[in-house]
């Protein structure tokens, strides 16, 4: 589908989209919207950054009847911040249609009078249980980011909501990834649900390795972060920076900000401009093809691409590739990078410097793991009150200091008792690559640190034979290494990872265990190229 007109959306809604600068759907929207407009239940295997909100939101805006008072569509989110963000996005589209959209938040007028209500799962469950929200009136319910809700302890609340729905109510679940818990939820509460995008058969081959993209976590002021990243890339020797945005308005905003900072910005290929502003990935790629040395041009995604093809077109040529990403968009970026054959490089751990400037320590690895995973940890129930009382900077500083002090005491205890700091027992992992594949120890360490949250210092002895290798890792991290490496590639060779035979037998003998396929869950999905790019501006997050 090249245009929103092709999806059969109401003319008034298409006009609203055009006014927002959106003429063409993302790949996800083109697949999901027709399914939802036919009234089917749906599992969306996608996260923020893919155009997710519009993918389910546009059919909802069509489905509700603005002449009927009260809530007809309910969108469940993991937390209040996400609820407000989704409500604001849909409210902009709904203004021209006369449809009321609101978040269940004090900042919104009469949420229960809106046709579309966006609410944290816990709050919505309370409203239903206490009778302020009538499930019988709901025409559609969306459980967004269900995996995050489940991991945060909200599974029972989500189940209670879906148990109360009328038979004719349309049900939608979004998650990234769609794991066994999400699949079980869908099987219980959705009726013959379609999954979009469909699951890739486990036997399908991944895309060939194409390169590396560095991601930088963006703050709320993405344009300021883009300007800083542009200045840094030029300062590192790039001849030009080709910065991609999704819309002309975003490109204009970035250009204005760069001009204030003294950087001349123009269209892709303008030799006198150090910064090129790109919207159409194909036009940017064409400009690079005309360069004598495309490696002198760094590519920057100010907002993540919607799909693997666009990512490849933005970053498949040129030199250093960088993508700015909000924390909630990181799972989406990881997913499309994997499908397109790119490896994401993790940001370097920030060094926390002491007051005298000499005492530098790295942020604890377990804290970095929490910050860089999809779930990001389970929020403490008292966090809002603590934030209001002390502020985010003091809380973050206290958390890092406490973790560092704990690590220091643990290390001193280990050394005093003659143990390797932080490691109680080692486990050998068997890998199906070896010396004949030109594999070196550094390749194995790089694969482990790139595919898991484990730092290189926790990788033990590596033994490389002709056709296989063994690597020692701490026992408590072994399962993560096996799951992280299975199906990945080292030096272009797809590998299988498992417990070394003797260790695997011992582990499986201990229970429904660490090495069993059933415990690991479904096989990691393969990666394939998706046909068709989108050349025009598109909405979504």
């Amino acid at each position: 589908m090249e245009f929103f007109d092709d999806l059969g959306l109401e003319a008034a809604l298409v006009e609203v989209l055009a006014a927002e600068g959106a003429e063409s759907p993302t790949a996800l929207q083109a697949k999901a919207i027709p399914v939802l407009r036919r009234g089917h239940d749906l599992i969306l295997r996608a996260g923020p950054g893919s155009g997710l909100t519009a993918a389910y939101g546009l059919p909802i805006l069509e489905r509700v009847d603005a002449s009927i008072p009260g809530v007809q569509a309910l969108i469940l989110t993991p937390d209040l911040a996400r609820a407000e963000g989704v409500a604001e996005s849909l409210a902009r589209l709904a203004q021209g249609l006369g449809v009321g959209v609101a978040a269940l938040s004090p900042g919104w007028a009469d949420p229960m009078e809106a046709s579309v209500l966006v609410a944290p799962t816990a709050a919505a469950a309370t409203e239903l249980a206490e009778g302020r929200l009538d499930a019988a009136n709901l025409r559609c319910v969306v459980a967004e980011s269900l995996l995050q809700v489940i991991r945060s302890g909200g599974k029972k609340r989500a189940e209670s909501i879906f148990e109360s729905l009328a038979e004719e109510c349309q049900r939608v679940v979004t998650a990234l990834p769609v794991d066994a818990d999400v699949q079980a939820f869908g099987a219980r509460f959705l009726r013959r649900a379609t999954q979009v995008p469909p699951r890739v058969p486990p036997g399908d081959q991944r895309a060939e390795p194409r390169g590396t993209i560095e991601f930088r976590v963006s703050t709320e002021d993405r344009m300021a972060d883009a300007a800083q990243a542009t200045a840094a890339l030029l300062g590192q020797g790039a001849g030009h920076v080709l910065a991609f945005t999704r819309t002309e308005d975003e490109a204009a905003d970035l250009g204005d900000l760069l001009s204030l900072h003294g950087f001349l910005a123009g269209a892709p290929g303008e030799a006198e401009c150090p910064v090129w502003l790109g919207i159409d990935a194909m036009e940017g790629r064409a400009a690079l093809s005309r360069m004598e040395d495309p490696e002198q041009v760094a590519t920057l995604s100010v907002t993540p691409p919607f799909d693997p093809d666009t990512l490849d077109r933005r970053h498949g040529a040129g030199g250093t590739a960088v993508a700015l990403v909000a924390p909630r968009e990181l799972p989406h970026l990881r997913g499309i990078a994997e499908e397109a054959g790119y490896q994401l490089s993790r940001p370097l751990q920030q060094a926390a410097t002491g007051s005298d400037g000499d005492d530098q320590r790295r942020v604890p690895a377990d804290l970095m793991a929490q910050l860089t995973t999809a779930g990001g940890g389970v929020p403490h129930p008292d966090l809002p009150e603590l934030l209001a009382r002390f502020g985010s900077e003091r809380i973050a500083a206290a958390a890092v200091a406490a973790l560092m002090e704990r690590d220091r005491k643990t290390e001193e205890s280990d050394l005093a008792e003659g143990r390797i700091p932080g490691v109680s027992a080692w486990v050998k992992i068997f890998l199906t690559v070896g010396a004949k594949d030109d594999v070196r120890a550094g390749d194995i360490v790089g694969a482990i640190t790139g595919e898991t949250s484990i730092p290189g210092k926790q990788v033990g002895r590596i033994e490389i034979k002709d056709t296989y290798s063994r690597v020692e890792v701490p026992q408590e991290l072994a399962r993560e290494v096996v799951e992280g490496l299975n199906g990945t590639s080292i030096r272009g060779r797809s590998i299988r990872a498992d417990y070394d035979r003797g260790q695997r037998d011992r582990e499986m003998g201990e229970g429904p265990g660490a090495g069993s396929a059933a415990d690991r869950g479904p096989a990691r999905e393969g990666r394939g190229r998706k046909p068709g790019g989108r050349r025009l501006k598109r909405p979504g997050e």
Side-chain angles (χ1 to χ4, degrees), residues 209-223:
R210 293 179 178 274
T212 300
I213 297 174
E214 177 189 342
F215 71 88
R216 300 183 184 180
V217 178
S218 176
T219 66
E220 293 183 1
D221 192 344
R222 194 185 291 262
M223 290 303 160

Side-chain angles (χ1 to χ4, degrees), residues 501-517:
R501 182 179 302 170
Q503 180 66 40
R504 183 179 61 224
D505 293 342
R506 288 192 295 275
E507 292 286 335
M508 294 183 68
E510 292 175 1
S516 68

Side-chain angles (χ1 to χ4, degrees), residues 226-302:
Q228 290 181 5
T230 299
L233 290 168
L234 292 171
Q236 292 165 8
H240 300 274
V241 173
L242 175 52
F244 287 101
T245 60
R246 290 178 177 174
T247 67
E248 291 180 355
D249 287 344
E250 289 177 347
D253 289 343
L254 179 58
D256 290 343
L257 183 60
L258 288 169
S259 67
L260 291 176
H261 288 229
F263 296 103
L264 185 63
E270 293 188 8
E272 67 277 11
C273 296
V275 183
W276 297 341
L277 301 176
I279 301 170
D280 190 312
M282 291 298 290
E283 290 178 3
R285 190 69 172 261
L288 288 174
S289 69
R290 295 191 292 269
M291 297 282 295
E292 281 189 23
D293 185 6
E295 293 289 323
Q296 290 297 311
V297 181
T299 54
L300 171 67
S301 279
V302 178

Side-chain angles (χ1 to χ4, degrees), residues 4 71 165 168 208 255 277 286 310 352 362 371 399 491 493:
F4 279 110
V71 178
L165 301 180
E168 63 273 13
E208 289 296 321
L277 301 176
T310 305
R362 291 195 177 277
L371 294 172
R491 288 194 169 267
R493 170 77 180 270

